Amino acid sequence: MREAVGDEDLALVRSLMESYRAFLSGSPSGSANMCLSGFREELDALRGKYSALLLATVDGVAAGCVALRRLSGIEGACEMKRLWVDSDFRGMGLGRRLVEDAVQWARREGMRAIHLDTISAVMPEANRLYAAMGFVRVEPYHRDCTEDVEFFRLDLG
């Protein structure tokens, strides 16, 4: 696990996020496409869009990623986005490790809470992980959503 900093790391994160996009695009849930609005622009501007990009590798191969950004309008809060573990590396605990590292990053940055939104029907495993790690359902913190989107927060105390 490491923070993605150089151009090579950013290319690996982009590749993982493309896999994430392909997964969402193939989902039978039409609301999954909501997550893809402006996705190409997001990938082109990773450094400017996110405060931190975390990368998991296994034997030098990109295995997973997660992105974090500070939330405007909510003091001391950040948003966790694009948690993804490649299918070849699932079952190794990488998703949990990425979330744990995201929590550590947020604490180091003085954040009091981490927010996220998710479509439970599309990624039930991720939602079980969030619940197991103490994330709780909350009211929407943004309005760019469909009815299928659920919102979660983890208070960092």
Side-chain angles (χ1 to χ4, degrees):
M1 300 289 166
R2 66 178 186 266
E3 192 162 345
V5 290
D7 290 340
E8 186 176 318
D9 283 351
L10 291 176
L12 294 173
V13 169
R14 280 187 188 96
S15 176
L16 288 162
M17 287 188 178
E18 284 288 356
S19 295
Y20 173 85
R21 181 204 56 77
F23 174 82
L24 287 179
S25 294
S27 171
S29 172
S31 59
N33 291 322
M34 178 276 304
C35 298
L36 300 176
S37 176
F39 196 76
R40 174 56 42 207
E41 294 81 10
E42 178 182 334
L43 291 184
D44 291 342
L46 284 177
R47 279 194 176 118
K49 178 120 177 127
Y50 293 108
S51 303
L53 297 162
L54 306 180
L55 175 65
T57 59
V58 175
D59 297 328
V61 178
C65 64
V66 68
L68 294 137
R69 64 179 171 194
R70 288 174 175 78
L71 279 173
S72 60
I74 304 177
E75 183 74 25
C78 63
E79 181 179 33
M80 185 171 71
K81 301 282 291 178
R82 311 297 186 209
L83 175 65
W84 180 251
V85 175
D86 186 87
S87 60
D88 291 340
F89 299 98
R90 295 204 181 137
M92 301 173 70
L94 295 177
R96 177 176 289 277
R97 288 273 319 276
L98 283 163
V99 175
E100 288 169 349
D101 284 7
V103 168
Q104 289 175 5
W105 176 89
R107 284 192 168 120
R108 280 193 312 271
E109 294 295 313
M111 299 291 121
R112 294 188 303 266
I114 297 178
H115 292 256
L116 64 89
D117 61 51
T118 185
I119 302 170
S120 295
V122 178
M123 295 187 190
E125 299 90 357
N127 290 286
R128 284 192 292 276
L129 173 65
Y130 301 143
M133 295 186 75
F135 284 82
V136 295
R137 282 193 174 91
V138 295
E139 292 297 314
Y141 58 90
H142 66 73
R143 302 289 173 225
D144 300 332
C145 59
T146 66
E147 61 193 42
D148 297 340
V149 175
E150 295 181 67
F151 295 84
F152 289 84
R153 180 183 67 231
L154 177 67
D155 290 322
L156 301 178

